[in-house]
Amino acid sequence: MLSDDVLDLLKDEVSPEEYRKYIRRMQFDEVNSTSDIAVFLVPNKLLVKWIQTNYAEKIAHIFESFTGKAPTVVIEHKSARTNVNKHENSAPNTPRKAPSTILNASYTFENFVVGTSNQLAFAAAKSAAKSPGQQYNPLFIYGSSGLGKTHLIQAIGNYAINQGKNVIYTTSEQFLNDFLFHVRNHTMDRFRQKYRQCDFLLIDDIQFLSNKEQTQEEFFHTFNELYNLHKQIVLSSDKPPKKIAGFEERLTSRFEWGLMADVQPPGLETKISIIKKKCELDNIALDDEVIHYIAANMEDNIREIESAIIHLNAHANLLSQKITIDFATEVLKDFIKERAVNISLDDIIRVIARELNIKPSDIKSRKRSQPIVEARRIGIYLAKTLTPENKMKDLAEFFGLKDHTAVSHAMKKINALLDTDENFRLKVEDLKSKITSGKSQRGEER
């Protein structure tokens, strides 16, 4: 059976302990699985979320290596599936939802925590779901990984399905693989029928179609067909269209036809709200001290925060332990990344100089050319942000300024630009990310 081969291959991708604890406890539900959906049953409710979060994507990719198509992998508790079957048998005339690629049922608008960092994207997503193909078409949502873009896109899909719409949700990687599969098998008519006859086309991480000329050509025509039929197109990316390299101009211009909405890293209050919502949905009991500890000490990636909460709760249940602050600190030590306090002023200058192609000595000099002044102001801003232990007078001395008032003046200039210049803000955020990660994307590409 194919499912046995899939789990055997997965065994090679996980540790022996993971296989023993999780994978070997999975049972393929042949009756309720289809070519689009692979259902696995597990005996323990605690395993459902953990396996879904950590292994579903790997399982889908392994299926795809056999069949050329990545199914949606659904992990369910055995008793839940039994109850579903009983319900369906007792109500054979219950209407089914419209056909669709599977979506995460928990990704709804109701479960999305709205804050100042994402309120525009949230409002636009709801509008696109309720009035498809109208004002915001296409809707282009962008922002760093793990900030909720996928949640918003799938919330649109879940809402549309409940309205009886035909929804296609896919990642750009799956779209590419699907395209190549049909090209090899001379079945492009089936590919076009699938993607051009839906009511909603939702594609995650569109940036990964960069430099894929044939796939871009096909997507271009698919886009035009759907747009002309007033079907809703929603795309996500880690950056705005003009910042994505390797795309044809005619495509990036179409991405900008509708609305571009960015999702920013959540502030502390929003992170606390996200943690509380996760606890509410999963019936996890965390006191305020633990919640504030997680919010204050973890990075901004919402997906990682939620994974940490699942990890913490699983440990508490398996060990029959109450979740105290000491217990949380110990269990989550591998999730808590090194704090920005360990970043030095020299680290900041080194990265800025490398990325902006300016000498470190020039940044700390009194030269007044526009690129050097901008680099110096960015350096001051990031130094103030990432090294709070340094006082204004310390920064003035480091950057060769007269006194702390010059630092204050630079901060005002930077904050004004951050509020009004989207490209400048993206540049600063990119530099901040490279400083905190300790590596340059430019170096990685080499």
mmCIF file of all heavy atoms in Angstrom, residues 349-370:
data_model
loop_
_atom_site.group_PDB
_atom_site.id
_atom_site.type_symbol
_atom_site.label_atom_id
_atom_site.label_comp_id
_atom_site.label_asym_id
_atom_site.label_seq_id
_atom_site.Cartn_x
_atom_site.Cartn_y
_atom_site.Cartn_z
ATOM 1 N N ILE A 349 27.442 48.036 12.681
ATOM 2 C CA ILE A 349 28.159 48.791 11.657
ATOM 3 C C ILE A 349 28.689 47.866 10.569
ATOM 4 O O ILE A 349 28.632 48.188 9.370
ATOM 5 C CB ILE A 349 29.329 49.583 12.291
ATOM 6 C CG1 ILE A 349 28.794 50.685 13.200
ATOM 7 C CG2 ILE A 349 30.231 50.184 11.203
ATOM 8 C CD1 ILE A 349 27.952 51.704 12.481
ATOM 9 N N ARG A 350 29.192 46.708 10.964
ATOM 10 C CA ARG A 350 29.768 45.773 9.994
ATOM 11 C C ARG A 350 28.730 45.323 8.968
ATOM 12 O O ARG A 350 28.987 45.303 7.763
ATOM 13 C CB ARG A 350 30.359 44.562 10.722
ATOM 14 C CG ARG A 350 31.061 43.572 9.805
ATOM 15 C CD ARG A 350 31.880 42.544 10.573
ATOM 16 N NE ARG A 350 31.066 41.839 11.558
ATOM 17 C CZ ARG A 350 31.172 42.010 12.875
ATOM 18 N NH1 ARG A 350 32.044 42.890 13.351
ATOM 19 N NH2 ARG A 350 30.417 41.320 13.708
ATOM 20 N N VAL A 351 27.528 44.990 9.428
ATOM 21 C CA VAL A 351 26.479 44.526 8.518
ATOM 22 C C VAL A 351 25.991 45.668 7.627
ATOM 23 O O VAL A 351 25.825 45.498 6.413
ATOM 24 C CB VAL A 351 25.303 43.915 9.309
ATOM 25 C CG1 VAL A 351 24.141 43.597 8.364
ATOM 26 C CG2 VAL A 351 25.750 42.655 10.027
ATOM 27 N N ILE A 352 25.760 46.834 8.208
ATOM 28 C CA ILE A 352 25.295 47.976 7.413
ATOM 29 C C ILE A 352 26.323 48.334 6.338
ATOM 30 O O ILE A 352 25.968 48.574 5.181
ATOM 31 C CB ILE A 352 25.015 49.188 8.325
ATOM 32 C CG1 ILE A 352 23.812 48.902 9.231
ATOM 33 C CG2 ILE A 352 24.764 50.445 7.493
ATOM 34 C CD1 ILE A 352 23.554 49.981 10.260
ATOM 35 N N ALA A 353 27.585 48.357 6.725
ATOM 36 C CA ALA A 353 28.644 48.696 5.773
ATOM 37 C C ALA A 353 28.688 47.688 4.623
ATOM 38 O O ALA A 353 28.802 48.061 3.448
ATOM 39 C CB ALA A 353 29.993 48.732 6.492
ATOM 40 N N ARG A 354 28.587 46.413 4.961
ATOM 41 C CA ARG A 354 28.646 45.364 3.937
ATOM 42 C C ARG A 354 27.436 45.445 3.002
ATOM 43 O O ARG A 354 27.578 45.388 1.776
ATOM 44 C CB ARG A 354 28.694 43.994 4.606
ATOM 45 C CG ARG A 354 28.776 42.816 3.621
ATOM 46 C CD ARG A 354 28.782 41.493 4.358
ATOM 47 N NE ARG A 354 27.540 41.287 5.074
ATOM 48 C CZ ARG A 354 27.472 40.806 6.314
ATOM 49 N NH1 ARG A 354 28.569 40.515 6.988
ATOM 50 N NH2 ARG A 354 26.296 40.625 6.888
ATOM 51 N N GLU A 355 26.244 45.601 3.571
ATOM 52 C CA GLU A 355 25.028 45.569 2.757
ATOM 53 C C GLU A 355 24.839 46.841 1.937
ATOM 54 O O GLU A 355 24.277 46.787 0.838
ATOM 55 C CB GLU A 355 23.808 45.343 3.661
ATOM 56 C CG GLU A 355 23.799 44.013 4.392
ATOM 57 C CD GLU A 355 23.812 42.836 3.442
ATOM 58 O OE1 GLU A 355 23.118 42.904 2.406
ATOM 59 O OE2 GLU A 355 24.519 41.852 3.717
ATOM 60 N N LEU A 356 25.292 47.983 2.441
ATOM 61 C CA LEU A 356 25.116 49.249 1.716
ATOM 62 C C LEU A 356 26.370 49.671 0.960
ATOM 63 O O LEU A 356 26.410 50.738 0.350
ATOM 64 C CB LEU A 356 24.698 50.356 2.696
ATOM 65 C CG LEU A 356 23.393 50.111 3.469
ATOM 66 C CD1 LEU A 356 23.035 51.334 4.305
ATOM 67 C CD2 LEU A 356 22.246 49.757 2.527
ATOM 68 N N ASN A 357 27.397 48.808 1.039
ATOM 69 C CA ASN A 357 28.652 49.053 0.310
ATOM 70 C C ASN A 357 29.283 50.397 0.690
ATOM 71 O O ASN A 357 29.649 51.212 -0.157
ATOM 72 C CB ASN A 357 28.408 48.986 -1.200
ATOM 73 C CG ASN A 357 29.696 48.822 -1.995
ATOM 74 O OD1 ASN A 357 30.681 48.282 -1.492
ATOM 75 N ND2 ASN A 357 29.695 49.300 -3.225
ATOM 76 N N ILE A 358 29.386 50.601 1.985
ATOM 77 C CA ILE A 358 30.000 51.818 2.534
ATOM 78 C C ILE A 358 31.037 51.402 3.567
ATOM 79 O O ILE A 358 30.818 50.464 4.334
ATOM 80 C CB ILE A 358 28.926 52.721 3.183
ATOM 81 C CG1 ILE A 358 27.966 53.248 2.107
ATOM 82 C CG2 ILE A 358 29.567 53.890 3.941
ATOM 83 C CD1 ILE A 358 26.807 54.024 2.664
ATOM 84 N N LYS A 359 32.143 52.088 3.620
ATOM 85 C CA LYS A 359 33.184 51.745 4.588
ATOM 86 C C LYS A 359 32.699 52.005 6.017
ATOM 87 O O LYS A 359 32.072 53.036 6.284
ATOM 88 C CB LYS A 359 34.439 52.580 4.336
ATOM 89 C CG LYS A 359 35.139 52.288 3.017
ATOM 90 C CD LYS A 359 36.355 53.194 2.849
ATOM 91 C CE LYS A 359 37.049 52.945 1.529
ATOM 92 N NZ LYS A 359 38.217 53.857 1.330
ATOM 93 N N PRO A 360 33.015 51.106 6.949
ATOM 94 C CA PRO A 360 32.641 51.334 8.355
ATOM 95 C C PRO A 360 33.184 52.660 8.880
ATOM 96 O O PRO A 360 32.498 53.356 9.642
ATOM 97 C CB PRO A 360 33.263 50.144 9.076
ATOM 98 C CG PRO A 360 33.346 49.066 8.039
ATOM 99 C CD PRO A 360 33.642 49.774 6.762
ATOM 100 N N SER A 361 34.384 52.992 8.454
ATOM 101 C CA SER A 361 34.984 54.244 8.940
ATOM 102 C C SER A 361 34.208 55.465 8.446
ATOM 103 O O SER A 361 34.125 56.485 9.139
ATOM 104 C CB SER A 361 36.447 54.344 8.477
ATOM 105 O OG SER A 361 36.537 54.272 7.063
ATOM 106 N N ASP A 362 33.614 55.366 7.253
ATOM 107 C CA ASP A 362 32.821 56.482 6.728
ATOM 108 C C ASP A 362 31.529 56.670 7.532
ATOM 109 O O ASP A 362 31.072 57.800 7.744
ATOM 110 C CB ASP A 362 32.471 56.244 5.254
ATOM 111 C CG ASP A 362 33.661 56.478 4.336
ATOM 112 O OD1 ASP A 362 34.651 57.080 4.805
ATOM 113 O OD2 ASP A 362 33.608 56.045 3.174
ATOM 114 N N ILE A 363 30.933 55.555 7.949
ATOM 115 C CA ILE A 363 29.691 55.649 8.736
ATOM 116 C C ILE A 363 29.955 56.394 10.039
ATOM 117 O O ILE A 363 29.112 57.162 10.509
ATOM 118 C CB ILE A 363 29.134 54.234 9.020
ATOM 119 C CG1 ILE A 363 28.725 53.560 7.708
ATOM 120 C CG2 ILE A 363 27.931 54.303 9.968
ATOM 121 C CD1 ILE A 363 28.237 52.143 7.861
ATOM 122 N N LYS A 364 31.133 56.202 10.616
ATOM 123 C CA LYS A 364 31.469 56.833 11.895
ATOM 124 C C LYS A 364 32.193 58.167 11.712
ATOM 125 O O LYS A 364 32.647 58.763 12.688
ATOM 126 C CB LYS A 364 32.326 55.873 12.727
ATOM 127 C CG LYS A 364 31.604 54.581 13.069
ATOM 128 C CD LYS A 364 32.527 53.533 13.666
ATOM 129 C CE LYS A 364 33.073 53.959 14.991
ATOM 130 N NZ LYS A 364 33.901 52.887 15.623
ATOM 131 N N SER A 365 32.291 58.604 10.458
ATOM 132 C CA SER A 365 32.979 59.871 10.190
ATOM 133 C C SER A 365 31.974 61.023 10.151
ATOM 134 O O SER A 365 30.789 60.823 10.411
ATOM 135 C CB SER A 365 33.703 59.783 8.833
ATOM 136 O OG SER A 365 32.764 59.845 7.768
ATOM 137 N N ARG A 366 32.451 62.216 9.780
ATOM 138 C CA ARG A 366 31.558 63.370 9.652
ATOM 139 C C ARG A 366 31.267 63.701 8.194
ATOM 140 O O ARG A 366 30.805 64.811 7.884
ATOM 141 C CB ARG A 366 32.169 64.579 10.361
ATOM 142 C CG ARG A 366 32.316 64.360 11.860
ATOM 143 C CD ARG A 366 32.537 65.638 12.593
ATOM 144 N NE ARG A 366 32.589 65.422 14.038
ATOM 145 C CZ ARG A 366 32.639 66.394 14.940
ATOM 146 N NH1 ARG A 366 32.650 67.655 14.533
ATOM 147 N NH2 ARG A 366 32.696 66.127 16.221
ATOM 148 N N LYS A 367 31.506 62.755 7.299
ATOM 149 C CA LYS A 367 31.213 62.975 5.887
ATOM 150 C C LYS A 367 29.716 63.172 5.704
ATOM 151 O O LYS A 367 28.910 62.530 6.373
ATOM 152 C CB LYS A 367 31.708 61.795 5.049
ATOM 153 C CG LYS A 367 33.239 61.669 5.018
ATOM 154 C CD LYS A 367 33.690 60.516 4.132
ATOM 155 C CE LYS A 367 35.216 60.426 4.089
ATOM 156 N NZ LYS A 367 35.678 59.290 3.251
ATOM 157 N N ARG A 368 29.327 64.034 4.730
ATOM 158 C CA ARG A 368 27.936 64.440 4.605
ATOM 159 C C ARG A 368 27.280 64.001 3.299
ATOM 160 O O ARG A 368 26.197 64.473 2.977
ATOM 161 C CB ARG A 368 27.830 65.967 4.718
ATOM 162 C CG ARG A 368 28.397 66.549 6.007
ATOM 163 C CD ARG A 368 27.629 66.056 7.215
ATOM 164 N NE ARG A 368 26.221 66.419 7.162
ATOM 165 C CZ ARG A 368 25.299 65.943 7.982
ATOM 166 N NH1 ARG A 368 25.627 65.032 8.896
ATOM 167 N NH2 ARG A 368 24.048 66.350 7.872
ATOM 168 N N SER A 369 27.898 63.112 2.529
ATOM 169 C CA SER A 369 27.237 62.661 1.302
ATOM 170 C C SER A 369 25.973 61.887 1.682
ATOM 171 O O SER A 369 25.904 61.248 2.742
ATOM 172 C CB SER A 369 28.170 61.774 0.465
ATOM 173 O OG SER A 369 28.412 60.549 1.117
ATOM 174 N N GLN A 370 24.977 61.940 0.805
ATOM 175 C CA GLN A 370 23.660 61.390 1.142
ATOM 176 C C GLN A 370 23.698 59.905 1.530
ATOM 177 O O GLN A 370 23.085 59.524 2.538
ATOM 178 C CB GLN A 370 22.697 61.624 -0.042
ATOM 179 C CG GLN A 370 21.221 61.390 0.308
ATOM 180 C CD GLN A 370 20.816 59.934 0.190
ATOM 181 O OE1 GLN A 370 21.416 59.191 -0.594
ATOM 182 N NE2 GLN A 370 19.813 59.512 0.955
#
